[in-house]
Amino acid sequence: MNNRNRWANKLILDPACEEIFIDNHLQAGLMEFDIQLGGVSNLSKDYFVRRHQCKYHTLIYTREGQGLLSTESGEQQIGANSLLLLPAGSSFSYQLGKAHNNWKIIWYLIDDSCDWQWLKNKGICLTTNSHVDNIYYLSLSLYKETLASTPSSALLNLNAQLVVAYINRDLQLPENINTKKTAMIMFFQQLESRLQQPWTQPLLAKLAGYSPAQFNRLCLQQLATTPIKKLRQLRMQRAKALLKSSELNLTDIANAVGYNDVFNFSSAFKREVGIAPNQYRHT
């Protein structure tokens, strides 16, 4: 059997297994940090995952029970209060421990982006971890906020940021890693409390400590958008929340998100969201 067939992708998930998914389609805020998907799983009976040269970095925190890891180097038990790193490009399988009928884990799939490529240097590693409960409750909080009738973008961003902070600490983030993307994300998170101000690109650049050209270039590099487009996205997210959660008229909402003209606000909203503000309010 060749190596590829040996590690051919496979998934076995018994109906008794219970999983919740922290999906970026729910606007959990993790995409800003190149995290594609996360989840909290209570695994029972048959559970088996095999990946060949996985394109994501896979992180698995074990809260209770025991799993079994198989790699080209052999088998290894995955015990409680542990963190398993499976870097992108590696082949592996993991399953419910043979002597156990329950395995409770928290997991995240991370892009092999510039900010996370340092994980490849660590290789496959399994370490004890005393913060599993912290990542567990943070993940549940993030998931529950995505399900709220009017999710708070501030809470989603804060929880996502804390999840990433724990992951970085648990994996011993190198001190010399490029943190420009994280700094840019945090800059715009702080800007959310001041969306009503008449921001221009030069003013944003000055606040961030760059020339307008430098700030535009950094924003394109780290967030794949311009500062003004990012600002407009934040304003429209706030406007959508106000339209759904308040009875403010369009003029007041426009002023609250930095537009002194309701026509300009309505035009910008329709370009960004695809429908007019009043139509969105009643959907």
Side-chain angles (χ1 to χ4, degrees), residues 23-209:
D23 195 326
N24 279 306
H25 292 302
L26 301 176
Q27 299 181 338
L30 293 171
M31 185 68 79
E32 298 281 3
F33 299 96
D34 298 322
I35 298 180
Q36 283 292 331
L37 188 65
V40 178
S41 303
N42 186 2
L43 307 169
S44 301
K45 298 183 179 180
D46 284 337
Y47 178 76
F48 179 86
V49 174
R50 184 168 60 208
R51 293 287 180 263
H52 175 69
Q53 296 181 357
C54 186
K55 65 178 181 179
Y56 299 115
H57 304 293
T58 304
L59 299 183
I60 300 174
Y61 288 85
T62 292
R63 190 166 184 249
E64 294 180 22
Q66 192 173 85
L68 179 66
L69 170 69
S70 296
T71 66
E72 294 179 344
S73 301
E75 294 186 344
Q76 190 174 4
Q77 298 292 330
I78 310 170
N81 298 310
S82 65
L83 171 59
L84 171 64
L85 166 64
L86 301 163
S90 52
S91 298
F92 53 82
S93 69
Y94 53 85
Q95 63 191 86
L96 197 65
K98 295 175 181 178
H100 292 258
N101 59 11
N102 188 257
W103 188 23
K104 295 182 179 180
I105 63 174
I106 306 95
W107 52 272
Y108 286 96
L109 302 181
I110 304 175
D111 283 339
D112 186 25
S113 61
C114 293
D115 286 347
W116 293 100
Q117 283 184 348
W118 59 278
L119 293 178
K120 285 185 175 178
N121 296 328
K122 297 181 72 66
I124 295 175
C125 60
L126 177 65
T127 57
T128 57
N129 188 278
S130 60
H131 310 118
V132 175
D133 276 354
N134 293 339
I135 204 79
Y136 170 74
Y137 289 115
L138 272 173
S139 300
L140 284 184
S141 178
L142 187 58
Y143 171 73
K144 289 179 180 179
E145 188 59 33
T146 64
L147 301 182
S149 56
T150 54
S152 165
S153 60
L155 287 175
L156 288 172
N157 288 335
L158 177 59
N159 276 322
Q161 189 175 334
L162 287 171
V163 166
V164 172
Y166 272 108
I167 289 173
N168 282 333
R169 182 180 69 174
D170 294 340
L171 293 174
Q172 299 178 349
L173 174 71
E175 291 183 359
N176 61 347
I177 196 165
N178 184 349
T179 58
K180 289 181 180 178
K181 183 171 184 176
T182 300
M184 188 69 72
I185 291 168
M186 292 180 67
F187 171 82
F188 282 103
Q189 287 175 347
Q190 293 166 1
L191 196 68
E192 286 191 78
S193 63
R194 304 161 67 182
L195 294 177
Q196 75 279 8
Q197 296 189 23
W199 296 110
T200 61
Q201 182 159 315
L203 286 175
L204 289 173
K206 183 177 180 180
L207 183 64

Side-chain angles (χ1 to χ4, degrees), residues 191 195 199 204 227-235:
L191 196 68
L195 294 177
W199 296 110
L204 289 173
I228 294 301
K229 286 182 179 178
K230 182 64 177 177
L231 173 64
R232 184 168 64 244
Q233 181 186 47
L234 294 175
R235 283 173 163 167

